[in-house]
């Protein structure tokens, strides 16, 4: 196994950080590594906002309901940005007609690819981090705080810092559940059997990690995400930011 694969397979979400501050040169370097990620049609539809001010981090910690946002060295907000394309259109007297579902998906995916490069680059330097989807909990307030213009929206945040704990690796789904050859190969009953096996692994993991305080399975834990709609305010917010989905 080479070092890159070993690093990728050793990823853990880090939520506790020391008080040490990451050098700004390192942050700039991992952002450059992020820019090296694949980008659809060379559009590069992303922007990153780095937050180090303690008061601003505290505000974002409250808005995201994540206290560790306030304790990390750098809190990065990854934004999908198609405003840049609209501005390019103005430079060439071309009307901007890209505020559609396809471009929204492209920008969101570009941002995720870029962010994952940043995370891996940071981990290669001995840093740790965790993604913060809670940036979308109160997305309008976050946008106002960060002064985001039209055609830009925050996709997620990322805490980065020096790790102050060493959590165990969280077990992933078995390879047979996610990897197929030539066609999708699992019947619903076969996939449920794999999930039942995985449930036992995850239950053992949670039981050990929490000393028996948490004993739910994977399928039980995901019910919170599928039994009711989540963040239903997003469409209205995105439309106010100029995105269209027709």
């Amino acid at each position: 196994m080479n070092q890159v694969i070993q690093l990728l397979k050793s990823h853990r979400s880090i939520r506790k950080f020391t008080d040490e501050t990451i050098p700004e040169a390192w942050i700039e370097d991992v952002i450059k590594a992020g820019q090296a990620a694949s980008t659809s049609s060379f559009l590069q539809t992303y922007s990153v906002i780095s937050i180090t001010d303690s008061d601003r981090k505290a505000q974002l910690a409250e808005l995201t309901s994540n206290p560790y946002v306030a304790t990390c060295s750098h809190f990065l907000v990854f934004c999908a940005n198609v405003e840049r394309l609209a501005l390019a259109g103005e430079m060439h007297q071309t009307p901007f007609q890209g505020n559609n579902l396809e471009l929204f998906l492209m920008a969101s995916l570009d941002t995720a690819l870029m962010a994952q490069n940043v995370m891996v680059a940071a981990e290669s330097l001995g840093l740790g981090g965790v993604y913060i989807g809670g940036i979308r909990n109160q997305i309008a307030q976050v946008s106002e705080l960060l002064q985001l213009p039209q055609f830009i929206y925050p996709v997620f945040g990322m805490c980065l810092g020096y790790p102050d704990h060493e959590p165990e690796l969280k077990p992933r789904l078995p390879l047979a559940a996610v990897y197929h050859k030539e066609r999708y190969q699992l019947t619903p009953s076969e996939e449920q059997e794999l999930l039942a096996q995985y449930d036992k692994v995850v239950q053992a993991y949670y039981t050990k990690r929490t000393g028996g305080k948490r004993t739910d399975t994977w399928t039980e834990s995901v019910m919170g995400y599928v039994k009711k709609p989540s963040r239903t305010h997003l469409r209205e917010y995105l439309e106010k930011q100029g995105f269209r989905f027709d």
Side-chain angles (χ1 to χ4, degrees), residues 136-147:
R136 303 187 300 278
N137 288 350
Q138 301 185 68
I139 194 168
Q141 293 91 326
V142 169
S143 293
E144 183 178 357
L145 179 65
L146 301 180
Q147 299 180 15

Side-chain angles (χ1 to χ4, degrees), residues 20-34:
E20 190 173 358
T21 301
I22 303 171
E24 183 60 26
W26 284 23
I27 295 296
E28 293 179 3
D29 215 23
V30 299
I31 296 298
K32 289 178 182 177

Side-chain angles (χ1 to χ4, degrees), residues 53 91 102:
D53 178 78
M91 293 170 64
E102 170 64 8

